[in-house]
Amino acid sequence: MSQTATHDTTPAAPAGALGKRAGLLLGALALVGLVAVFAGARYGILLAIGLGFGVALEGMRFGFAGPWRAMILRREPSGVIAQLLSIAVVAVVAIPLLASHPGELVGAQAPVGFAMIGGAFVFGACMQIVLGCGSGTLVNAGSGNPVSLLALPFFALGSFAGAWNLIWWTDLGALPIITFGGTSGLILTLVLIALAVGLFLWRAAPGTVKLSRRHAIAALVLAALAIGNLVVAGQPWGVVYGLGLWAAKGFSVLGGDLSASAFWSAPGSMERVQSSLLTDYTSLTNIGIIAGAFGVAAWRRGALSAALPGYPARAWVATVVAGFLLGYSSRLAFGCNVGAFFSGISTGSLHGWVWFVAAFCGAFNGIKLRPILGLEART
């Protein structure tokens, strides 16, 4: 998942490394087992699903920001097509499930409004500045990427702040929630996905009109995990809420008063703030993503030893600002590449498509900003 990673060409691991790898596997199993014992089997399974996301994203070097960058800069569509393929697979299962279990399962559905569109645009730009979306920042931080390690806490703070002001922003104007449900909704979603794939293939550079085997496998693995997340948690895969919740808990512990925020003082939010992170679905999968990426990186390298990039001071300041804006804008946009794009479209929400278009436009600008901010320079 790390954008600076290279293919591993090291020889077979010695006995000591094999022991460390066995320890990683046992540690993961023990972690899942402990959560299952102390919080419940459902929560242990969700942590395991999160670990699966982390292992798949880092292990298969797959994500969201990187494929968008490849399409924009080199017109290589494989990664974006794989994302759409994964969404289509989830939609085939999720949309009928939502229709048949309305009281048990909920979709990632949100209204389209001015703040949502603006938030998606800003998020698209910022994810290209730090080379990581919501899940990408978690994966890259877990694998030891210094830029993502710096951006992640500010992402959480931004998510918290965006949620704090969310009602004010949505009052600027929004449409009612529009969803594509049932058989007709599934057909419409699949047709739109096919049209999007056709558009990317049309814009592809000569010789790149193909789906790589690695991307295809990653797409199917992510789809299976996302379907598992929906069935076990009763809600789609998400990232942003969990990060904001971590900051809200910290704010509360430090004596902050959440009653001034309509979002954080709502009964559901207050219950989560006061409860254990081990019983919050999104937090568990986020923790699993970080741990899964860490495990893959440690498995490959034996230790996390990413070099500190030789960026100028303005680049590190830009990382902090972009990290905060990633959290803030994604909260206004009702999700990131996972919660809005992936889960929104796959559960039939119109806002997922609008988010996709706005964020892709923002990504063009983020790519142009990187060299200006010193994030392409090395010393």
Side-chain angles (χ1 to χ4, degrees):
M1 185 73 176
S2 175
Q3 304 294 329
T4 58
T6 57
H7 291 293
D8 188 10
T9 58
T10 56
L18 291 175
K20 291 180 180 178
R21 290 176 175 181
L24 288 171
L25 291 174
L26 290 174
L29 291 173
L31 188 61
V32 170
L34 287 172
V35 172
V37 169
F38 289 103
R42 170 180 286 189
Y43 303 107
I45 294 171
L46 282 169
L47 178 59
I49 290 172
L51 286 166
F53 280 127
V55 170
L57 292 168
E58 175 65 17
M60 298 183 186
R61 303 189 187 281
F62 185 71
F64 293 93
W68 287 27
R69 183 178 177 87
M71 183 65 209
I72 292 169
L73 290 179
R74 302 185 297 276
R75 291 191 295 152
E76 296 175 358
S78 178
V80 180
I81 291 173
Q83 294 169 10
L84 291 167
L85 169 63
S86 190
I87 290 170
V89 173
V90 176
V92 168
V93 178
I95 292 178
L97 275 179
L98 290 170
S100 60
H101 297 78
E104 302 173 45
L105 305 176
V106 296
Q109 297 157 358
V112 174
F114 296 113
M116 188 240 109
I117 296 171
F121 181 90
V122 172
F123 185 90
C126 290
M127 81 171 184
Q128 292 300 333
I129 291 174
V130 303
L131 293 182
C133 58
S135 60
T137 301
L138 293 173
V139 169
N140 291 339
S143 61
N145 182 291
V147 172
S148 292
L149 284 169
L150 177 61
L152 181 57
F154 291 96
F155 195 133
L157 290 172
S159 177
F160 168 69
W164 187 289
N165 300 322
L166 182 60
I167 305 303
W168 185 90
W169 283 103
T170 55
D171 283 346
L172 294 178
L175 297 172
I177 295 176
I178 299 174
T179 59
F180 309 137
T183 302
S184 61
L186 174 59
I187 292 172
L188 177 58
T189 297
L190 295 178
V191 168
L192 289 173
I193 290 173
L195 290 173
V197 169
L199 176 62
F200 285 117
L201 290 176
W202 173 62
R203 293 297 302 157
T208 65
V209 184
K210 61 180 180 179
L211 176 64
S212 75
R213 181 173 178 272
R214 174 172 62 87
H215 284 157
I217 293 173
L220 295 177
V221 171
L222 286 185
L225 290 167
I227 292 169
N229 191 101
L230 175 63
V231 171
V232 176
Q235 64 185 39
W237 179 25
V239 169
V240 174
Y241 179 84
L243 296 177
L245 179 63
W246 299 355
K249 281 180 169 291
F251 181 78
S252 181
V253 168
L254 293 174
D257 183 10
L258 295 172
S259 64
S261 166
F263 182 94
W264 290 114
S265 63
S269 294
M270 284 302 300
E271 180 182 356
R272 290 187 178 92
V273 170
Q274 295 167 0
S275 301
S276 168
L277 283 180
L278 299 182
T279 59
D280 177 66
Y281 301 145
T282 309
S283 293
L284 279 170
T285 50
N286 284 353
I287 292 169
I289 290 172
I290 295 172
F294 170 85
V296 171
W299 183 286
R300 284 175 174 154
R301 303 195 293 263
L304 302 185
S305 56
L308 188 68
Y311 293 143
R314 71 179 185 277
W316 296 109
V317 173
T319 298
V320 170
V321 174
F324 182 86
L325 288 176
L326 279 171
Y328 197 96
S329 63
S330 60
R331 188 64 275 174
L332 303 190
F334 299 101
C336 59
N337 294 68
V338 170
F341 170 51
F342 189 100
S343 294
I345 293 177
S346 65
T347 58
S349 180
L350 174 64
H351 97 284
W353 287 106
V354 177
W355 190 100
F356 183 28
V357 174
F360 213 93
C361 291
F364 277 89
N365 292 274
I367 289 172
K368 293 178 180 179
L369 283 173
R370 274 186 63 82
I372 297 173
L373 297 171
L375 284 159
E376 299 289 355
R378 301 292 177 121
T379 60

